[in-house]
Amino acid sequence: MAGSSGPAFVRAERLRVLPPYLFAAIDRKKSELRRQGIDLVDLGIGDPDIQTAPHIVRALQQAAEKPENHRYPAYEGMLSFRTAAAGWFKQRFGVPLDPRTELLSLIGSKEGIGHMVLAFCNPGDVVLATEPGYPVYKIGTIFSGGAIHELPLHEKNKFLPDLSSVPAAVLKKAKMFFFNYPNNPTGAVTDIGFMEEAVAFCRKHGIILCHDAAYTEVVFDGYRAPSVLQVPGAKDVAIEFHSLSKTYCMTGWRIGFAVGNPDLIAGLGAIKTNLDSGIFQAVQEAGIAALTGDQTHISKNNAVVQDRRDLLVAALRKSGWEATPARGTYYLWVRTPGGLSSVECVDRVMSETGVVITPGTGFGKSGEGYVRFSLTAPTSAIAEAARRLARVRF
Ligand SMILES: *Cc1c(COP(=O)(O)O)cnc(C)c1O
């Protein structure tokens, strides 16, 4: 084995304490089924199969030709990109932003979320985060030496957290609060009422409000997602993370932005100045083309995903599941049939149909009893999954 006679390089404690990688067991099962000749339909990961719009790709091509874009970008992003993002935000949510102080470009919002915790959380601080949820809130906290306090999302509470459940002793140490609507993995959406409640809670307890807004544009049935910054006074306590990944089918491009309180933006920026050197400027120019160009492809893409959702919901219901169509995100979060555990259910679905899905417990302990179906496979693949699922009685 390579390196077997060299020194043992033990990973840092912060890596060793991470929860096990969610997809490792599923990857093993996938290879096993492939070896048996089973043709898999992968509805495991949420990564859009729909291509980035051609005008965005052309903007990248043209920008890549310009030598001035080959040099280091400004860490906080080109002012032209930040101005375009502020313009998009004003048009979409009606909230004006100063692109110099209230907006920061990000190498994808995952980067911003992870670095945000590093910027504001000291060892001993508590970070509140909704659970099941995007793993980065917790991992960023572990990397920062903070402690996570999870707020469970239950179906009976419309997958909204109960803010009154946080014990006083926890509140005293709480530094930040992460939540995300439209929500990955539950597909839950909310209205401005919950945002108002969250802002009031964070103002009262002096907590930094961090809203992960990756899916505000991936919505169905006429639903419109709010921004937390639409709440009066939110800018005193809040930062919101936006991403071009899902809105414009640009996951591979790595571009997003944070908006909100200038001190929070500056703190996050201070981490970034020291750790990264910003986004390739040609990608920022493509981002400008995305944010300022034709937006009609967004609703067209949403219509495609909505059809896939309806196909899958109908098939699941036929085969005895209680599936509810989500009004946002790429995900169907469905209670397992027959009281199966999440892992048992994934195992049976994969073995009996070759459809790959994710166990709810991969996103947190309150995900037990649920599985997640992703709608980012081609419609023909979703239709095939629907056919196979409808044939099995659970
Ligand atoms: C996809 C996703 C993100 C981040 O995506 P980036 O590509 O890093 O911008 C953030 N939060 C949630 C919940 C997501 O699903």
Side-chain angles (χ1 to χ4, degrees):
M1 228 167 75
S4 60
S5 58
F9 294 118
V10 178
R11 290 186 184 178
E13 202 52 35
R14 71 177 67 83
L15 281 180
R16 302 207 305 149
V17 300
L18 288 187
Y21 179 54
L22 158 65
F23 292 101
I26 297 173
D27 286 345
R28 263 197 309 278
K29 175 95 180 166
K30 272 159 69 173
S31 348
E32 184 191 311
L33 292 172
R34 277 207 192 93
R35 263 199 308 278
Q36 295 169 17
I38 293 174
D39 170 32
L40 299 179
V41 180
D42 198 338
L43 307 185
I45 292 183
D47 184 358
D49 60 300
I50 299 171
Q51 286 176 17
T52 311
H55 69 275
I56 302 173
V57 177
R58 273 197 303 276
L60 172 72
Q61 286 168 335
Q62 284 160 8
E65 303 269 355
K66 297 187 210 161
E68 66 267 30
N69 286 342
H70 301 168
R71 310 190 68 195
Y72 280 125
Y75 81 90
E76 73 277 26
M78 297 160 78
L79 186 58
S80 53
F81 173 76
R82 286 180 286 142
T83 303
W88 177 87
F89 196 87
K90 171 79 170 58
Q91 182 147 4
R92 172 65 179 80
F93 297 109
V95 178
L97 295 168
D98 179 346
R100 292 173 196 274
T101 58
E102 296 177 323
L103 197 145
L104 180 67
S105 63
L106 300 173
I107 311 172
S109 60
K110 181 180 191 177
E111 175 262 298
I113 290 165
H115 282 157
M116 184 65 195
V117 195
L118 217 49
F120 287 94
C121 176
N122 282 317
D125 288 342
V126 168
V127 174
L128 309 174
T130 54
E131 172 278 318
Y134 191 57
V136 185
Y137 319 137
K138 185 174 188 168
I139 291 171
T141 304
I142 293 172
F143 284 177
S144 306
I148 192 95
H149 179 88
E150 292 178 322
L151 299 178
L153 302 181
H154 297 302
E155 195 166 349
K156 62 176 191 303
N157 200 19
K158 301 195 166 108
F159 296 112
L160 292 173
D162 177 2
L163 301 182
S164 68
S165 72
V166 185
V170 173
L171 279 175
K172 222 182 275 167
K173 294 188 191 164
K175 187 76 190 263
M176 341 181 44
F177 172 33
F178 280 92
F179 62 93
N180 153 239
Y181 292 98
N183 182 262
N184 176 10
T186 65
V189 298
T190 186
D191 57 17
I192 198 75
F194 172 72
M195 300 287 175
E196 285 166 357
E197 194 191 324
V199 168
F201 170 80
C202 288
R203 288 176 66 102
K204 177 170 176 197
H205 298 289
I207 294 170
I208 300 168
L209 185 160
C210 303
H211 181 223
D212 175 359
Y215 293 97
T216 57
E217 310 314 301
V218 184
V219 290
F220 319 114
D221 307 324
Y223 170 74
R224 262 173 91 73
S227 159
V228 77
L229 295 190
Q230 289 173 313
V231 177
K235 264 192 209 170
D236 294 343
V237 290
I239 185 166
E240 186 167 76
F241 296 89
H242 287 267
S243 171
L244 276 67
S245 288
K246 317 288 163 55
T247 305
Y248 298 103
C249 299
M250 292 174 74
T251 46
W253 299 56
R254 313 312 303 134
I255 183 164
F257 56 94
V259 295
N261 178 277
D263 295 333
L264 300 177
I265 294 287
L268 174 56
I271 289 280
K272 287 175 58 58
T273 330
N274 286 289
L275 284 180
D276 71 55
S277 300
I279 311 162
F280 181 26
Q281 290 200 9
V283 170
Q284 296 189 56
E285 290 202 27
I288 295 170
L291 292 163
T292 61
D294 173 37
Q295 304 291 302
T296 55
H297 57 110
I298 298 176
S299 48
K300 279 189 205 136
N301 294 348
N302 286 343
V304 170
V305 179
Q306 185 172 328
D307 284 346
R308 294 175 180 175
R309 177 199 72 174
D310 294 342
L311 255 173
L312 203 55
V313 166
L316 287 170
R317 285 180 174 168
K318 215 184 268 175
S319 113
W321 305 57
E322 283 172 40
T324 317
R327 286 200 292 161
T329 77
Y330 299 133
Y331 310 108
L332 278 182
W333 181 250
V334 191
R335 198 186 280 282
T336 61
L340 293 172
S341 76
S342 298
V343 167
E344 283 167 352
C345 180
V346 169
D347 231 50
R348 272 196 62 189
V349 168
M350 281 177 72
S351 307
E352 294 178 29
T353 69
V355 176
V356 180
I357 53 176
T358 315
T361 43
F363 303 94
K365 57 183 181 300
S366 306
E368 183 55 275
Y370 290 86
V371 292
R372 192 190 78 170
F373 293 79
S374 172
L375 303 169
T376 54
T379 304
S380 58
I382 304 264
E384 174 61 19
R387 270 192 295 278
R388 294 188 195 177
L389 285 160
R391 277 201 300 266
V392 179
R393 295 296 315 175
F394 286 95

